[in-house]
Amino acid sequence: MKVVVTGASGFIGSHVIDRLRAHGHEALNFDLAPSPYDDTVDTVIGDLRSPEDVRRGLDGCDAVIHLAAAADVNIVAADPVLAEELNSRGTAVVLEAARDLGTRVVFGSTIWVYGDGQPGETLDEDAALPLPKHLYTATKLAGEAYCRSYGELYGVEQTILRFGIPYGPRARGATVLAAFVAKARAGEPLTLAGDGAQSRRFVYVEDLADGVVAGLAPAAAGRIYNLVGEESTTIREIAEKVQELVAPVEIVYVEGRAGDIRGAAISGERAASELDWRPKTSFAEGAQRYVDWVTATQGAPMAATASSIDGSAAAV
């Protein structure tokens, strides 16, 4: 199968390219710039907002895995108009090209669509979704709605994948584990928004990439799947793990962020039963692998000293 991945020069997309190749697929990258991780992958340089560029990227492909988006929640909050253009209208552009070309669509969404949930509650793909607190979540819900509408109205074969919080090698510096590791390596305090009790279903990026490839299965057409780790981890627990793995720097609590969610418990059983996908990597193991990768690519950290408090909160 020939598969184009939008945003494959980025964190998740670059790993998806790796796994597509490992599974015997022909992989193509569609992005604004070539991949910094792989100079051998065929790449179409284009803008997600351009119908001509997107059609050029999808032409001749059996499927598109649509991952390109404004993904940093802080950037989304700072520039909501750009985020809407990329995440919502960009998805519509991809779907329209797929409609014309007969291309299968796999859409990367997020478990943020479930909101906070209730204590003791585990949510699956059939759960009712609340109105979103954050614009990032709103744009992803719009993308999901467009996928379902194109499926119903035009017969576009589509699958929605709701990602847990990805982490691992190549992660953006603003993601929580990456930000905490960078601070600890520099001997700086780890700043937690609110009380740090926000819970997330993290998923190691290589496991996630395998789940994305599994979403190409014919049986996944018209379905929604949660691709999540099997354990919930709080932001405070992440900070404590970084203290253990990198340096015993100070933990500092700052004011909570507007639109933040505490996180619901999310079920991954549908992906396990229908796609035969389960995550293989525990958070502790994945955090160790990430720290090892950072050390291998950046060298040993400086001596850790909790010398200053900068008051910034890491993005999740």
Side-chain angles (χ1 to χ4, degrees):
M1 181 181 291
K2 184 175 182 180
V3 183
V4 60
V5 182
T6 69
S9 296
F11 170 38
I12 300 173
S14 66
H15 285 281
V16 171
I17 291 285
D18 292 344
R19 300 314 300 158
L20 282 167
R21 288 171 157 177
H23 286 276
H25 298 294
E26 181 182 354
L28 179 70
N29 177 16
F30 177 89
D31 213 319
L32 289 169
S35 172
Y37 309 109
D38 185 352
D39 60 7
T40 68
V41 63
D42 290 336
T43 301
V44 175
I45 301 299
D47 191 319
L48 190 63
R49 297 165 291 183
S50 165
E52 294 79 14
D53 287 356
V54 171
R55 186 182 178 90
R56 182 163 48 90
L58 270 60
D59 193 18
C61 292
D62 302 296
V64 54
I65 297 174
H66 178 38
L67 304 179
D72 186 318
V73 295
N74 293 318
I75 291 175
V76 170
D79 196 340
V81 173
L82 176 62
E84 190 278 334
E85 289 178 357
L86 293 173
N87 296 8
S88 302
R89 277 183 274 173
T91 299
V93 171
V94 169
L95 287 162
E96 184 64 13
R99 171 193 176 191
D100 290 343
L101 297 170
T103 311
R104 167 80 182 280
V105 178
V106 175
F107 175 61
S109 187
T110 174
I111 61 168
W112 276 45
V113 298
Y114 293 107
D116 290 321
Q118 299 297 319
E121 180 182 39
T122 299
L123 301 176
D124 64 15
E125 292 85 349
D126 294 325
L129 303 180
L131 289 174
K133 290 182 179 180
H134 201 286
L135 183 70
Y136 172 73
T137 313
T139 63
K140 284 299 185 179
L141 279 170
E144 288 195 15
Y146 295 164
C147 286
R148 298 301 293 269
S149 296
Y150 266 78
E152 290 290 333
L153 293 174
Y154 310 118
V156 173
E157 197 171 275
Q158 48 77 34
T159 299
I160 295 168
L161 303 177
R162 292 172 178 163
F163 297 168
I165 311 304
Y167 71 102
R170 309 174 191 165
R172 292 177 293 107
T175 57
V176 62
L177 179 63
F180 281 177
V181 168
K183 282 178 172 289
R185 284 172 55 86
E188 299 175 1
L190 309 181
T191 50
L192 273 64
D195 60 6
Q198 306 95 316
S199 178
R200 304 285 187 260
R201 279 292 176 102
F202 289 87
V203 58
Y204 188 65
V205 67
E206 292 175 5
D207 294 342
L208 176 61
D210 275 324
V212 172
V213 176
L216 291 168
R223 301 291 280 164
I224 302 173
Y225 298 97
N226 298 325
L227 300 183
V228 295
E230 294 187 329
E231 55 191 324
S232 292
T233 307
T234 68
I235 307 305
R236 183 167 56 246
E237 288 170 338
I238 298 170
E240 291 167 349
K241 177 57 68 174
V242 170
Q243 286 180 316
E244 174 190 332
L245 295 177
V246 182
V249 294
E250 183 183 5
I251 294 177
V252 176
Y253 296 88
V254 299
E255 185 177 355
R257 295 180 305 179
D260 202 2
I261 61 174
R262 300 195 71 82
I266 308 299
S267 171
E269 286 306 308
R270 179 181 291 179
S273 63
E274 296 185 11
L275 303 181
D276 194 27
W277 178 86
R278 286 187 183 275
K280 301 174 181 177
T281 310
S282 68
F283 182 79
E285 180 184 356
Q288 180 68 70
R289 289 186 193 176
Y290 176 72
V291 170
D292 291 345
W293 175 80
V294 171
T295 301
T297 55
Q298 300 180 20
M302 64 176 285
T305 56
S307 57
S308 63
I309 300 174
D310 65 7
S312 63
V316 179

